Amino acid sequence: MNPEKERELERYVVSQCTWENLPQHIRANVEHNPKRWRAFVIAYSVQHQLPWRTTLVRTMIDEKAYYEELLQKSRLSLLLFPYHLSDVLDKVCHITPFKYYHEMMLDVMISERSYDALPNFTAADCVRLLSIGRNEFIDIMNRFRAKGWLLKKRRATIRSMLPPQTTFQEPDYWWEVAACTATEDDLRNLPEQEHQVLQQLSTGVKAAGELDKATVVSLYKKELVYITVPVNNTDHIAVPPLENFVMNRVLGDYFENLLYNVFVSINERTTVAQLAEVLQTDVENVKQAVSLYIMLGFAKNKSVEPLTFDASKGSKWHPSWLSHQHQLPQQHSETESTPDPVSAAKLPSDQPSGVSSTTLQPTVIDDGTEQRIKRIGFFFDSTLTAFLMMGNLGSGLKMHAVTMFEVGKLANEVMDDFLAELNKVKQTAEGDAQRYADHAIILRETLGFLRKISLPDCEGLGRLSPYH
């Protein structure tokens, strides 16, 4: 189908236009066939993991059949688990993220596809829930192939090598916990404390920090509760250096594209609602992306209620979270002073190789109404990040290089750590390694120089007398 015609059809799906109200020129795009229109609506809804109850697809297919098709096609396409549908997927299909990825990993291994087949974010979520990364994947496949006589029982053999329950350690205290649908058999042999927590959750969702931590983790591993990460329109989000990011491949589906758009646009001084406005995207979709980033550990919410205990005043938080070391990044407003402000951002792909810096003065200025921070922006292209990653110059430096490549920028707050890693690069190496080291050293010297100088601002340049 012509892409323009397909986009037209999509607009009518989103606006929930029924076949009876569909204009004739739009009907022509599906050859005036209501069955083709129905198939298009279902396919679009499944591809975008839309909820059944609030979209047009509810008029086309039964709820359970729809969600079963959505899960099957998402799993076969190696898409992320649709966390925004966690509540309904539990009630209708009794599916949890662990079961979803367990079956996905089983499918990939049985078909003997490589680990690189998993898209980046899907692979990262598998690491989080299954503790299966590249090395673990290769080890399982080697052990499976060694049991050649069991190849007729491929599925059972590989299943026995996968973890029987999630390896997820613990949620953050402000994440939300809800009870899963459970049978009498599921509840029969539970300890009294777990029964008590489930009873508390019977009245509705609660923050994990309001419940006993060990009990929450135990119930989650037994798949008797599910966890979501709440995000509000007014929240401020920060992206620290990426840890445990898996660089496999990009899939190009709508949600992955949104994830990368959010990655490169996110700014700790911008609220989630403002970010959605910048991206011209529905704020609920942006909140889903941000929620996933936080769950994967790729972002931090700077607007959450702090985990504090006051013996005299009491606290809503459960005492078991006292030992929880939750480090929130310090929030900086536009009026706060930040030492040595240098930030980095990646050049668009159509820019030539090389670097340039903006002419913002790294000082706090007072214009009579409010103080504003001026920063130096240092631009780079993907060649530099490739050198930093390929040069085997240090694991800490590679982490920053991955962040620069995937997020497209480094926050000012991590510049000290980045420069410390650059300082560890040795002056002498051999072959191509020397070339990579030279680029790292030049980058270190350039950033160090930019942090010391005070460049004139645009207003100051405008007040200079013209040179004759």
Side-chain angles (χ1 to χ4, degrees):
M1 184 184 296
N2 183 289
E4 182 58 36
K5 291 181 179 180
E6 190 169 332
R7 283 192 292 270
E8 281 186 339
L9 287 172
E10 290 174 357
R11 285 195 289 269
Y12 281 92
V13 173
V14 172
S15 64
Q16 301 195 40
C17 183
T18 61
W19 175 258
E20 292 74 20
N21 297 322
L22 210 61
Q24 288 297 322
H25 72 283
I26 300 298
R27 289 189 182 191
N29 293 342
V30 289
E31 300 175 359
H32 297 277
N33 188 334
K35 290 184 179 180
R36 288 176 64 90
W37 168 243
R38 177 182 180 275
F40 183 87
V41 171
I42 294 174
Y44 177 85
S45 302
V46 166
Q47 182 183 2
H48 289 75
Q49 298 180 329
L50 299 181
W52 180 85
R53 287 187 179 276
T54 58
T55 55
L56 181 61
V57 74
R58 71 184 181 279
T59 65
M60 309 284 185
I61 187 174
D62 172 73
E63 183 179 26
K64 183 175 176 61
Y66 169 70
Y67 282 122
E68 286 177 347
E69 182 175 345
L70 184 152
L71 285 169
Q72 182 186 29
K73 290 190 175 178
S74 296
R75 193 182 75 243
L76 294 177
S77 299
L78 308 180
L79 298 181
L80 283 159
F81 179 80
Y83 285 100
H84 60 291
L85 302 175
S86 291
D87 57 341
V88 69
L89 290 178
D90 166 63
K91 293 172 185 174
V92 176
C93 302
H94 307 297
I95 282 290
T96 62
F98 172 76
K99 289 178 182 175
Y100 176 83
Y101 288 121
H102 195 276
E103 290 302 308
M104 179 188 291
M105 192 64 71
L106 199 57
D107 292 340
V108 171
M109 290 181 169
I110 286 173
S111 59
E112 298 199 41
R113 300 170 70 180
S114 73
Y115 182 75
D116 292 325
L118 293 171
N120 297 343
F121 292 108
T122 301
D125 214 11
C126 287
V127 171
R128 184 179 71 91
L129 293 174
L130 306 178
S131 291
I132 296 179
R134 186 179 304 277
N135 293 338
E136 294 77 13
F137 183 94
I138 293 172
D139 177 63
I140 291 173
M141 292 304 296
N142 287 340
R143 286 191 286 128
F144 166 66
R145 293 186 182 111
K147 299 177 182 290
W149 57 278
L150 286 174
L151 288 180
K152 291 183 179 180
K153 300 180 179 179
R154 299 163 68 88
R155 198 168 192 86
T157 304
I158 292 180
R159 189 186 294 276
S160 67
M161 297 178 182
L162 297 178
Q165 63 177 204
T166 181
T167 55
F168 176 70
Q169 296 303 311
E170 65 180 55
D172 219 333
Y173 69 93
W174 55 275
W175 294 8
E176 292 182 341
V177 182
C180 290
T181 305
T183 65
E184 289 186 8
D185 289 339
D186 294 329
L187 304 176
R188 184 170 293 122
N189 298 318
L190 290 182
E192 180 59 29
Q193 195 166 11
E194 293 184 5
H195 273 293
Q196 291 176 1
V197 169
L198 289 176
Q199 185 62 36
Q200 288 178 268
L201 292 174
S202 65
T203 60
V205 174
K206 291 189 178 297
E210 298 178 41
L211 308 166
D212 179 74
K213 182 166 67 171
T215 305
V216 169
V217 174
S218 176
L219 288 170
Y220 184 76
K221 290 190 174 184
K222 293 175 182 177
E223 299 185 275
L224 293 176
V225 298
Y226 64 89
I227 293 172
T228 56
V229 178
V231 177
N232 298 315
N233 290 5
T234 56
D235 287 348
H236 291 259
I237 310 299
V239 178
L242 296 182
E243 293 187 61
N244 300 321
F245 189 88
V246 182
M247 297 183 70
N248 277 0
R249 70 181 182 103
V250 293
L251 194 60
D253 66 284
Y254 95 98
F255 191 58
E256 183 183 69
N257 290 336
L258 175 62
L259 284 169
Y260 276 108
N261 286 338
V262 170
F263 236 166
V264 300
S265 305
I266 204 166
N267 186 304
E268 63 191 54
R269 291 171 178 77
T270 304
T271 66
V272 172
Q274 290 169 336
L275 178 61
E277 198 173 323
V278 168
L279 295 173
Q280 297 183 336
T281 304
D282 183 79
V283 69
E284 293 303 317
N285 292 336
V286 174
K287 285 159 71 172
Q288 291 171 21
V290 170
S291 176
L292 178 70
Y293 279 141
I294 295 171
M295 189 177 290
L296 293 175
F298 298 157
K300 300 289 184 184
N301 191 335
K302 299 174 63 179
S303 305
V304 298
E305 181 182 351
L307 183 66
T308 56
F309 294 87
D310 190 328
S312 60
K313 297 180 180 178
S315 173
K316 74 173 187 178
W317 306 117
H318 194 278
S320 61
W321 293 83
L322 272 170
S323 61
H324 185 79
Q325 301 298 317
H326 180 77
Q327 299 295 329
L328 284 176
Q330 295 297 314
Q331 182 164 345
H332 298 285
S333 70
E334 291 295 335
T335 60
E336 290 176 328
S337 176
T338 305
D340 298 326
V342 176
S343 57
K346 186 166 61 176
L347 281 171
S349 58
D350 58 348
Q351 294 290 332
S353 296
V355 296
S356 62
S357 63
T358 65
T359 57
L360 295 181
Q361 185 175 345
T363 56
V364 178
I365 64 170
D366 190 345
D367 60 4
T369 56
E370 63 176 354
Q371 288 186 333
R372 293 178 291 116
I373 294 175
K374 286 198 169 185
R375 296 179 177 235
I376 290 176
F378 180 82
F379 294 88
F380 60 90
D381 69 359
S382 57
T383 304
L384 178 61
T385 59
F387 284 168
L388 296 179
M389 285 188 284
M390 294 167 55
N392 195 24
L393 303 173
S395 58
L397 188 57
K398 185 175 182 179
M399 179 180 68
H400 287 295
V402 170
T403 306
M404 292 166 69
F405 182 81
E406 295 293 342
V407 183
K409 58 190 174 184
L410 279 182
N412 177 62
E413 286 70 22
V414 302
M415 289 303 295
D416 285 336
D417 185 57
F418 182 46
L419 285 170
E421 294 296 334
L422 287 172
N423 280 327
K424 297 177 184 178
V425 177
K426 297 180 180 179
Q427 295 277 354
T428 57
E430 296 180 0
D432 286 338
Q434 182 63 56
R435 184 186 179 198
Y436 303 144
D438 288 343
H439 278 78
I441 293 167
I442 293 170
L443 175 61
R444 178 189 67 201
E445 298 301 319
T446 303
L447 290 176
F449 174 75
L450 289 175
R451 300 187 101 189
K452 295 175 183 177
I453 65 172
S454 178
L455 297 176
D457 57 33
C458 295
E459 292 86 351
L461 289 173
R463 290 193 294 269
L464 294 177
S465 299
Y467 177 76
H468 296 288

